[in-house]
Short mmCIF file of all heavy atoms in Angstrom, two decimals:
data_model
loop_
_atom_site.label_atom_id
_atom_site.label_comp_id
_atom_site.label_asym_id
_atom_site.label_seq_id
_atom_site.Cartn_x
_atom_site.Cartn_y
_atom_site.Cartn_z
N MET W 1 0.87 -1.21 -0.01
CA MET W 1 0.03 0.01 0.03
C MET W 1 0.81 1.33 -0.05
O MET W 1 1.77 1.41 0.92
CB MET W 1 -0.93 -0.01 1.15
CG MET W 1 -1.89 1.10 1.24
SD MET W 1 -3.02 1.17 2.65
CE MET W 1 -1.79 1.43 4.04
N SER W 2 0.63 2.14 -0.97
CA SER W 2 1.32 3.38 -1.00
C SER W 2 0.97 4.33 0.11
O SER W 2 -0.10 4.46 0.36
CB SER W 2 1.27 4.02 -2.38
OG SER W 2 -0.12 4.37 -2.65
N VAL W 3 1.97 5.11 0.57
CA VAL W 3 1.62 6.14 1.56
C VAL W 3 2.24 7.32 0.98
O VAL W 3 3.33 7.49 0.52
CB VAL W 3 2.44 5.80 2.88
CG1 VAL W 3 2.28 6.90 3.90
CG2 VAL W 3 2.07 4.44 3.49
N GLY W 4 1.33 8.46 1.18
CA GLY W 4 1.67 9.65 0.69
C GLY W 4 2.60 10.37 1.67
O GLY W 4 3.27 9.76 2.65
N THR W 5 2.82 11.77 1.71
CA THR W 5 3.59 12.46 2.53
C THR W 5 2.85 12.78 3.84
O THR W 5 1.72 13.35 3.87
CB THR W 5 4.09 13.87 1.86
OG1 THR W 5 4.78 13.56 0.73
CG2 THR W 5 5.00 14.66 2.75
N LEU W 6 3.46 12.57 4.94
CA LEU W 6 2.91 12.86 6.29
C LEU W 6 3.35 14.06 6.75
O LEU W 6 4.58 14.43 6.77
CB LEU W 6 3.13 11.66 7.25
CG LEU W 6 2.68 10.21 6.87
CD1 LEU W 6 3.05 9.34 7.98
CD2 LEU W 6 1.08 10.24 6.70
N HIS W 7 2.45 14.94 7.28
CA HIS W 7 2.74 16.24 7.99
C HIS W 7 2.27 16.22 9.33
O HIS W 7 1.06 16.10 9.58
CB HIS W 7 2.15 17.37 7.17
CG HIS W 7 2.29 17.41 5.58
ND1 HIS W 7 3.31 18.11 5.03
CD2 HIS W 7 1.78 16.79 4.57
CE1 HIS W 7 3.33 17.87 3.73
NE2 HIS W 7 2.47 17.04 3.49
N ASP W 8 3.17 16.34 10.31
CA ASP W 8 2.88 16.49 11.67
C ASP W 8 2.52 17.94 12.01
O ASP W 8 3.30 18.88 12.02
CB ASP W 8 4.09 16.05 12.49
CG ASP W 8 3.71 15.84 13.91
OD1 ASP W 8 2.73 16.37 14.43
OD2 ASP W 8 4.55 15.38 14.62
N LEU W 9 1.29 18.16 12.44
CA LEU W 9 0.75 19.56 12.64
C LEU W 9 0.50 19.71 14.12
O LEU W 9 -0.37 20.47 14.60
CB LEU W 9 -0.54 19.80 11.92
CG LEU W 9 -0.44 19.72 10.41
CD1 LEU W 9 -1.80 19.98 9.79
CD2 LEU W 9 0.64 20.60 9.79
N SER W 10 1.31 19.00 15.05
CA SER W 10 1.25 19.02 16.46
C SER W 10 2.30 19.81 16.94
O SER W 10 3.50 19.71 16.64
CB SER W 10 1.11 17.54 17.00
OG SER W 10 0.39 16.72 16.39
N HIS W 11 2.10 20.53 18.08
CA HIS W 11 3.17 21.24 18.84
C HIS W 11 3.72 20.17 19.91
O HIS W 11 2.87 19.39 20.49
CB HIS W 11 2.71 22.47 19.65
CG HIS W 11 2.31 23.60 18.72
ND1 HIS W 11 3.37 24.34 18.14
CD2 HIS W 11 1.12 24.16 18.33
CE1 HIS W 11 2.83 25.22 17.36
NE2 HIS W 11 1.40 25.18 17.49
N LYS W 12 4.93 20.10 20.13
CA LYS W 12 5.45 19.21 21.15
C LYS W 12 5.08 19.72 22.51
O LYS W 12 5.22 20.91 22.71
CB LYS W 12 7.05 19.14 21.00
CG LYS W 12 7.60 18.46 19.71
CD LYS W 12 9.09 18.42 19.71
CE LYS W 12 9.57 17.67 18.59
NZ LYS W 12 10.94 17.64 18.50
N LEU W 13 4.68 18.79 23.31
CA LEU W 13 4.31 19.25 24.77
C LEU W 13 5.55 19.49 25.47
O LEU W 13 6.45 18.59 25.49
CB LEU W 13 3.51 18.15 25.40
CG LEU W 13 2.15 17.78 24.67
CD1 LEU W 13 1.33 16.71 25.56
CD2 LEU W 13 1.25 19.02 24.49
#
Side-chain angles (χ1 to χ4, degrees):
M1 183 178 67
S2 62
V3 178
T5 302
L6 298 179
H7 306 264
D8 190 348
L9 303 181
S10 314
H11 289 290
K12 291 181 181 179
L13 300 185

